[in-house]
Every structure is written in structure tokens, then in C-alpha cells.
Amino acid sequence: MDQCSDLIVYLKSRPFSSLSYEEKCAVKERRPKPHLNIVQRDKHQSRKCQSQWYEQYEWLTASVTTGMMHCYVCLLFGGEGDNKEWSETGIACLKNFHRRARKTSNF
């Protein structure tokens, strides 16, 4: 695995279950926490992606390439139901982010 590549994009193209034991160990300890420059404005306020969310939600990760946030656990082991959005497509909408994140935290 190329260390410079986007790990999230890599994992979406090559599922965790198909990796060797050594690769799985390396990936498990390497949750990406990149700064995403997502800013969304509506009539009432401006929302920005916050780096402290990675500490608040220990499962949160993101892809710089796609600009999407993901659940690292769901991405590695597969998400079901509402968690599929976090593993397959990713989340970029910041409106109601904390409500969606808390719902995912309860899986």
C-alpha cells in the first residue's frame, strides 16, 4: 500500500477483508484525520468541518480526495442500515452533523 495515497480511497477499492494480516494491522492503527476545508452557508449560519470532531467521535475519518467523512469502523467491517452512508458514500453535509454522528455512535 502506498503510504502517500488516500487510505479511504484505497479501502473503498480494496476491502479490508481482502488485505493480508500485516496490512490489516497497519490499517487498523492508521485512522486518517485530515483537515477538510468544507464550508457550508445557508441563510442563518455558516458551518465548517472541525478537527476536534476526530477526538469527539473516535470512529470518524475522512478522505481528502473525495472531501467526505466516514465511519472508520463501518468502512473496515461494513456498515448496515443507516451506517451504510458513512461507509459507502460518505458524509459531506454539515447540517445536523452531530445528530447523525451520535446516531452512528450508537451502533
Side-chain angles (χ1 to χ4, degrees), residues 4-62:
C4 297
S5 66
D6 186 328
L7 182 58
I8 303 307
V9 172
Y10 176 80
L11 288 170
K12 288 177 66 105
S13 69
R14 187 162 179 215
F16 184 71
S17 61
S18 70
L19 301 179
S20 70
Y21 176 75
E22 292 79 18
E23 289 174 312
K24 287 178 181 179
C25 290
V27 165
K28 193 173 83 168
E29 300 301 322
R30 206 176 133 219
R31 174 177 63 115
K33 299 182 255 181
H35 171 72
L36 292 183
N37 193 22
I38 300 173
V39 178
Q40 296 174 347
R41 293 178 176 85
D42 63 20
K43 291 187 238 179
H44 306 288
Q45 61 188 357
S46 179
R47 297 176 180 89
K48 291 182 182 181
C49 187
Q50 305 292 319
S51 59
Q52 66 260 26
W53 292 349
Y54 292 120
E55 307 312 315
Q56 187 173 359
Y57 303 107
E58 293 181 3
W59 48 263
L60 184 65
T61 190

Side-chain angles (χ1 to χ4, degrees), residues 50-85:
Q50 305 292 319
S51 59
Q52 66 260 26
W53 292 349
Y54 292 120
E55 307 312 315
Q56 187 173 359
Y57 303 107
E58 293 181 3
W59 48 263
L60 184 65
T61 190
S63 167
V64 175
T65 305
T66 64
M68 303 290 237
M69 294 175 283
H70 295 271
C71 169
Y72 201 52
V73 176
C74 298
L75 188 63
L76 297 181
F77 301 108
E80 295 180 3
D82 293 337
N83 293 329
K84 278 193 171 209
E85 184 178 30

